[in-house]
Amino acid sequence: MTRKTKLSEKLFAEAKRHIPGGVNSPVRAFKSVGGTPPFIVRAKGAYIYDADDNAYIDYVGSWGPAILGHAEPNTLSALNEAMKLGLSFGAPTSKEIELAKKVKAIRPSLELVRFVSSGTEATMSAIRVARGFTKKDKIIKFDGCYHGHADYLLVKAGSGAATCGIPDSAGVPASFAEHTLVARYNDLSSVEALLLKHKDVAALIVEPVIGNMGCIPPEPGFLEGLRELCTKHGIVFIFDEVMTGFRVALGGAEERYKITPDLSCFGKIIGGGLPVGAYGGRKDIMECVAPVGGVYQAGTLSGNPLAMTVGLKTIELLTQKNVYADLEAKGAFLEAGLRKATLDAGIPLQVNRVGSMFSFFFTDKPVTDADAARTADREHFNKVFHHLLDNGIYLAPSAFEAGFISAAHTYDDLEKTVAVFAAGL
Ligand code: PMP
């Protein structure tokens, strides 16, 4: 192993003295894969660089936002200009109108949109609105879908909760969680069974492509079936596109799968690397939000001018450059390379991919839901993960996370990734 880790180890030890587990978001701590997380100093394009000056081809992309690559120059100069005018006003700005108009033009289902500061805020607010609108309490979510860390959403959540082996978070009163019903992804009959028993369902929330149990695409008919069930039962249908929004297509899963949800949630790319989330959708539902309606939701830094600027520039560049065909081709190239490497090595592997979002599972069975993802060989993943890391390739430190390709990744980067992966097998 040539990778130096001395400074990251020192920083990690120090961080643990001040911050729980040394990190401000659990999966970063490398608990499930073991070892020390590299402490990152800077990033440019498809690369990140750590405190020991190791360079990595980055497939985390700040967990999604860096779709254009890190430190994209046009975005940085827009931010630079905006900074000169002040950091935050806590009052309306025209930037918010601009971003709202831009997002609405891309997403036909958004009649009204409200900006917040994280994906968690977006999903919990959307659910509050759905409850206010329907005057019902229960919600349906899917095993393995992560929708942020609101109390009642930390039930059978994927991502960090799955990685840390925490089925349901401590600190959540049972009386909060009892309003959350859990169905099986890609299984409409599991939703129908819940609807037979429960009449007071306000909302159904889904990651249209699961990204938080690794990447798990919807099977044909699944999202259509959910749409029909929600319409039939008067349930607010919520797409959590915090990960898939502006990722699986410019218009996210709504565009890619041609489904119209009632409400959608965004995060990650919509802020281009600064803290932004958003939720929006049908006017009659969104008009329940204060100050128009009685559902309260607010935020000191919501619509922050710097965050709006970076979001705007990011979406503008995504629109102009039409990067999605390029991302699709790069995704297909990486997928083919990974598949060939495992075939050559005689190791069973499932590669799941939707556009530039991907993951691989060491199992011979197709991974179509959270149960299937859980049966994949995680020890094997951990070994391959460390081999990749030691050789300059940075994946999310968990078998239950998706990888992201950015517009800045070159075919050379992808080829190198496949070669290192193949050698590791
Ligand atoms: N929903 C989904 C689908 C996510 O992937 C995430 C974060 N990974 C969230 C919600 C929560 O977003 P945030 O971390 O910005 O609160």
Side-chain angles (χ1 to χ4, degrees):
M1 186 186 107
T2 52
R3 189 169 70 97
K4 298 180 290 287
T5 56
K6 204 169 146 198
L7 289 177
S8 281
E9 274 165 26
K10 200 166 156 228
L11 287 167
F12 194 37
E14 193 185 355
K16 283 195 238 181
R17 291 174 41 225
H18 308 291
I19 302 168
V23 291
N24 284 307
S25 198
V27 186
R28 296 181 198 167
F30 272 41
K31 227 176 149 182
S32 82
V33 293
T36 300
F39 273 58
I40 305 305
V41 176
R42 66 197 162 92
K44 178 80 194 145
Y47 284 76
I48 53 166
Y49 302 84
D50 71 11
D52 294 280
D53 217 20
N54 299 297
Y56 306 89
I57 303 173
D58 178 22
Y59 291 99
V60 181
S62 186
W63 302 86
I67 189 166
L68 292 166
H70 293 284
E72 198 286 320
N74 298 295
T75 315
L76 291 188
S77 44
L79 176 60
N80 221 355
E81 286 309 305
M83 263 163 45
K84 294 176 192 159
L85 303 174
L87 300 182
S88 175
F89 315 128
T93 64
S94 62
K95 283 270 160 60
E96 293 155 89
I97 310 174
E98 273 185 71
L99 187 57
K101 278 164 82 175
K102 188 143 238 125
V103 176
K104 279 179 61 179
I106 292 168
R107 299 276 301 207
S109 73
L110 296 188
E111 292 173 337
L112 286 173
V113 59
R114 169 62 68 81
F115 293 112
V116 291
S117 299
S118 69
T120 294
E121 271 188 89
T123 51
M124 65 182 233
S125 307
I127 284 172
R128 186 179 302 145
V129 177
R131 285 176 163 154
F133 178 75
T134 58
K135 305 195 171 42
K136 297 185 214 165
D137 288 338
K138 294 225 164 9
I139 59 161
I140 295 179
K141 75 177 284 291
F142 292 88
D143 184 9
C145 284
Y146 177 69
H147 303 294
H149 63 86
D151 284 337
Y152 52 87
L153 288 169
L154 282 177
V155 180
K156 298 252 183 197
S159 189
T163 305
C164 301
I166 301 171
D168 304 306
S169 174
V172 177
S175 57
F176 290 14
E178 80 189 22
H179 293 301
T180 305
L181 311 171
V182 180
R184 193 184 177 100
Y185 189 76
N186 274 330
D187 180 358
L188 287 173
S189 67
S190 70
V191 179
E192 282 161 343
L194 289 174
L195 292 176
L196 274 180
K197 271 191 27 209
H198 302 275
K199 300 295 164 213
D200 55 343
V201 178
L204 180 147
I205 186 165
V206 65
E207 285 184 74
V209 176
I210 298 188
N212 284 294
M213 207 62 197
C215 173
I216 307 181
E219 289 182 339
F222 177 60
L223 298 174
E224 289 84 347
L226 294 180
R227 175 65 276 182
E228 272 171 32
L229 284 171
C230 287
T231 305
K232 185 170 153 202
H233 293 268
I235 295 168
V236 177
F237 186 30
I238 306 175
F239 264 13
D240 178 352
E241 295 228 45
V242 169
M243 196 181 280
T244 53
F246 313 95
R247 167 64 64 182
V248 299
L250 184 62
E254 172 170 332
E255 177 185 322
R256 190 166 183 122
Y257 299 104
K258 300 185 176 50
I259 307 282
T260 305
D262 299 314
L263 295 179
S264 302
C265 305
F266 303 94
K268 301 186 190 278
I269 294 173
I270 199 170
L274 290 196
V276 183
Y279 66 101
R282 264 170 53 188
K283 188 162 181 264
D284 56 338
I285 303 177
M286 287 302 288
E287 281 187 336
C288 294
V289 180
V292 186
V295 174
Y296 196 69
Q297 180 272 310
T300 300
L301 291 177
S302 294
N304 171 271
L306 304 190
M308 295 291 104
T309 301
V310 173
L312 256 173
K313 183 52 80 178
T314 301
I315 295 172
E316 199 179 297
L317 292 170
L318 286 170
T319 312
Q320 281 170 7
K321 289 188 185 168
N322 189 20
V323 295
Y324 294 92
D326 173 56
L327 287 172
E328 187 72 51
K330 285 174 180 166
F333 182 86
L334 183 67
E335 177 184 348
L338 298 178
R339 281 188 194 284
K340 182 172 182 314
T342 39
L343 270 180
D344 292 349
I347 291 171
L349 186 87
Q350 304 297 317
V351 185
N352 284 5
R353 179 182 70 84
V354 177
S356 57
M357 201 175 145
F358 68 94
S359 47
F360 51 83
F361 302 90
F362 287 98
T363 168
D364 55 3
K365 295 185 197 67
V367 176
T368 55
D369 61 23
D371 279 338
R374 282 189 279 262
T375 61
D377 185 341
R378 286 170 68 184
E379 274 312 302
H380 202 157
F381 174 88
N382 291 352
K383 284 185 193 154
V384 169
F385 168 84
H386 277 291
H387 169 79
L388 291 169
L389 190 70
D390 286 343
N391 288 282
I393 290 155
Y394 188 73
L395 283 186
S398 162
F400 297 136
E401 299 288 348
F404 301 109
I405 300 168
S406 78
H409 285 80
T410 63
Y411 283 91
D412 276 355
D413 295 330
L414 303 175
E415 258 172 23
K416 181 177 174 208
T417 304
V418 170
V420 172
F421 180 81
L425 291 177

